Amino acid sequence: MRRLRNRLAGAALSVLALTVTATGCGGSSEASSGTPAPSGAATAGQTVANRVEPLERRPVPRLPATVRSADGEEVTVEKAERVVPLSGSLSEIVFTLGLGDRVVARDVTATFAQAAGLPVVTRGHDVSAESVLSLRPDLVIAETTTGPAEAVDQIRAAGIPVLLVAAARGLDDVGTRIRAVAGALGVPAAGQELTRRSEQRIEAARKDVPHGEKPRVAFLYLRGSASVYLIGGADSGAGSLIEAAGAVDAGAASGLDKDFTAITSEALVKAAPDAILVMSKGLESVGGVDGLVKIPGVAQTPAGLDRRIVSVEDGVLLNYGPRTDQVLRSVVAQLYGEDGAR
């Protein structure tokens, strides 16, 4: 998620109770968490659990381990009793491997229940090197896009092993990221096991996607409080998920080859989405679906006319990790309706 935050020039991702809402394709009851749906939206039957599911057998780390960081550096981990993952996605992997009791801090995007009580070591979305170092970590795991770079350098200069993991771009990155984290923690076999479990669950979710004409789905990044209204293009990070749900990335298909472009009526008309994918906090920030359709151009799209909105919580939508199968099932349920109807 850090990659997305950097590209959006400081637009903040917010912590939100893990609920999934939709409109135009689901029921009308509130989400099971008890959080009211945004104005104009109804909730779908598929939700993303607010907890990670650790492997059944808790692995025992075998250290020291030497692994290669995504920046090309070799990192030797002598022990991993106090671990600080600096993104929600990386925290999710550590906890799902069964080593969550070793995590001593979290990034603001780690929103799942097991991490809720941990101290936050980011200011806004920037890492605080002082906060990290005060916790005396044995290992820090970060994304290649974690920043500021000076903070990461400061942690390394203090002699703390820092493993950088390549930022997630799509479904194909799930296993690679899991294995990278597991290797640094000294549990490579558990990494292979979790990779198999995650990939099998994603494949099972893909088999439930209805066949037929592919709907066009536009990914919109919204932050009403900051007047940020963007449409995702080929490099937004959402394309892989949209395609796995049996749909077409409307932004990319309309020729938007960058990550994000400011929303204009012309861009939306050209994209012509049948449905709109948003982060739930973003939907809330514009006043729910009623506010979304007031954004210039939205009401003129098939998605706006049908009020067909798919919404997933900010901290999990593009994690591409152990819960991605749940995200995919939620998107499919919202996009097609639980009966699979288009």
Side-chain angles (χ1 to χ4, degrees):
M1 299 300 293
R2 177 81 201 187
R3 173 174 57 87
L4 177 60
R5 294 197 297 270
N6 286 347
R7 289 175 176 179
L8 295 173
L13 292 179
S14 303
V15 177
L16 182 68
L18 212 55
T19 59
V20 182
T21 58
T23 185
C25 52
S28 60
S29 61
E30 292 185 353
S32 59
S33 67
T35 302
S39 173
T43 56
Q46 294 284 348
T47 60
V48 181
N50 192 25
R51 299 182 63 84
V52 299
E53 180 190 346
L55 294 172
E56 291 184 6
R57 293 174 296 179
R58 188 176 186 277
V60 177
R62 295 185 177 181
L63 297 170
T66 299
V67 294
R68 187 168 294 279
S69 183
D71 61 351
E73 297 289 330
E74 281 198 344
V75 177
T76 297
V77 182
E78 299 288 345
K79 59 180 181 177
E81 299 294 330
R82 300 180 63 81
V83 180
V84 177
L86 290 178
S87 76
S89 177
L90 296 173
S91 294
E92 184 176 315
I93 292 171
V94 177
F95 273 84
T96 310
L97 285 167
L99 300 177
D101 60 336
R102 296 167 180 255
V103 177
V104 296
R106 68 179 176 92
D107 169 77
V108 69
T109 60
T111 59
F112 55 92
Q114 292 101 319
L118 294 170
V120 176
V121 289
T122 47
R123 295 171 181 158
H125 294 287
D126 289 333
V127 174
S128 167
E130 294 81 5
S131 296
V132 172
L133 293 173
S134 71
L135 294 166
R136 298 175 289 106
D138 303 315
L139 172 66
V140 171
I141 309 174
E143 309 271 354
T144 49
T145 48
T146 295
E150 294 80 7
V152 176
D153 290 342
Q154 186 177 342
I155 294 169
R156 274 182 163 162
I160 308 300
V162 176
L163 174 74
L164 295 183
V165 179
R169 303 181 66 86
L171 291 168
D172 290 342
D173 295 324
V174 171
T176 301
R177 287 164 59 82
I178 290 173
R179 291 190 294 271
V181 173
L185 293 171
V187 291
Q192 294 288 354
E193 181 183 351
L194 182 56
T195 294
R196 285 193 298 271
R197 190 185 84 175
S198 301
E199 292 179 345
Q200 287 170 358
R201 290 181 176 183
I202 290 170
E203 186 58 31
R206 296 181 79 151
K207 289 180 179 178
D208 291 337
V209 175
H211 298 290
E213 185 178 353
K214 296 178 180 290
R216 295 172 64 89
V217 177
F219 175 41
L220 303 188
Y221 183 87
L222 311 169
R223 282 298 179 265
S225 59
S227 298
V228 175
Y229 310 106
L230 306 174
I231 179 171
D235 200 28
S236 74
S240 178
L241 181 65
I242 291 171
E243 292 169 6
V248 173
D249 184 338
S254 69
L256 299 178
D257 55 4
K258 298 193 301 181
D259 44 14
F260 289 91
T261 301
I263 290 176
T264 63
S265 296
E266 293 78 9
L268 285 171
V269 168
K270 188 174 181 181
D274 301 302
I276 290 172
L277 172 66
V278 293
M279 294 180 176
S280 52
K281 193 64 176 179
L283 183 61
E284 179 184 300
S285 76
V286 298
V289 178
D290 290 338
L292 175 59
V293 296
K294 293 177 183 177
I295 295 174
V298 172
Q300 286 69 51
T301 65
L305 290 170
D306 294 338
R307 298 170 66 88
R308 195 177 183 190
I309 312 301
V310 177
S311 172
V312 179
E313 190 269 335
D314 302 40
V316 73
L317 176 60
L318 301 181
N319 271 5
Y320 293 116
R323 287 189 293 171
T324 293
D325 65 296
Q326 296 181 43
V327 174
L328 178 56
R329 288 188 185 279
S330 177
V331 171
V332 170
Q334 295 181 68
L335 185 58
Y336 305 114
E338 291 187 62
D339 59 358
R342 292 184 181 273

